[in-house]
Amino acid sequence: MSGTGETGATYYCQEFQGYSAVGAPLSNYDGEVASTHSAATQLENYNNPAKVPKQPSTLHSAKSQIKSAFERWNCQWLQRLSLGNHWESLVSRGPLDHNLPRAVSVAAFWIRTGHDYLAAHLHRINVLPSAECQLCGYGTMNAERLRTCSALNHSKNYQNSIFKEANLYWSARHLMAEQPRVSIG
């Protein structure tokens, strides 16, 4: 580009790259706007070839368009990457609300990751000799089992299932703590 009298900008990412020349009478800022729009168009077309985005009018709107397209692409990429992995539920269920009470957030995170203090996980890391429910003695004690365990109080009604899950989790933990200690060797 040097020596031609043109203004423009280059962009590059893992999926595509390009260059936008906007001509001599324009500034480098105009080159950045044109390049940003071109990158946004390619990113949007990469995600959905049938959809062509509208031309942004300002650099700010172009950057916003690129950011939202990148976030959609990244979310889709994480979903594909997580399929079949133990952390798939973290991606598929979406992020936890950051305004939840701490006890609810902690319980929800532990349940989603499977790194909780229930018998299934404790057995997996060789803390307990069995994954059997420590409260009722029936089935594997994991997050799904808490929903049907006869030893837990299921009578409370909650607006949001995440609060019910957390209440069941902490109730189970409390009841497990009251039981005599059982460990391996």
Side-chain angles (χ1 to χ4, degrees):
M1 184 167 95
S2 68
T4 64
E6 291 184 350
T7 301
T10 302
Y11 52 91
Y12 173 81
C13 80
Q14 184 177 353
E15 304 301 331
F16 53 82
Q17 62 185 354
Y19 170 79
S20 293
V22 292
L26 302 174
S27 68
N28 284 338
Y29 172 81
D30 296 319
E32 186 176 342
V33 170
S35 178
T36 303
H37 174 260
S38 180
T41 302
Q42 286 193 27
L43 184 59
E44 192 67 35
N45 289 340
Y46 179 81
N47 288 333
N48 185 1
K51 183 181 176 189
V52 178
K54 63 181 183 181
Q55 170 108 11
S57 57
T58 65
L59 179 60
H60 177 73
S61 63
K63 286 182 177 181
S64 294
Q65 188 177 2
I66 287 175
K67 181 180 178 184
S68 65
F70 178 76
E71 286 171 352
R72 282 191 306 276
W73 176 83
N74 194 40
C75 185
Q76 292 167 356
W77 177 73
L78 282 173
Q79 286 174 344
R80 287 190 307 269
L81 186 66
S82 70
L83 287 176
N85 287 309
H86 64 279
W87 49 275
E88 181 178 2
S89 64
L90 289 175
V91 176
S92 63
R93 292 179 68 181
L96 288 172
D97 181 4
H98 65 278
N99 293 319
L100 291 172
R102 181 171 174 81
V104 174
S105 320
V106 168
F109 180 77
W110 285 345
I111 288 170
R112 283 186 183 190
T113 59
H115 290 261
D116 47 38
Y117 289 94
L118 300 176
H121 177 66
L122 296 175
H123 174 67
R124 191 171 50 244
I125 61 172
N126 293 323
V127 172
L128 289 178
S130 167
E132 183 178 87
C133 182
Q134 303 289 305
L135 305 176
C136 67
Y138 178 75
T140 300
M141 187 179 197
N142 55 22
E144 289 79 32
R145 178 73 192 127
L146 294 180
R147 296 182 191 115
T148 58
C149 183
S150 60
L152 296 173
N153 181 1
H154 294 275
S155 63
K156 290 186 179 179
N157 291 326
Y158 292 93
Q159 284 181 299
N160 190 333
S161 65
I162 199 164
F163 285 93
K164 182 172 185 161
E165 247 181 20
N167 181 53
L168 292 172
Y169 176 77
W170 290 116
S171 297
R173 289 276 312 273
H174 178 73
L175 291 172
M176 286 174 66
E178 291 177 345
Q179 293 183 343
R181 301 273 185 234
V182 177
S183 64
I184 295 177

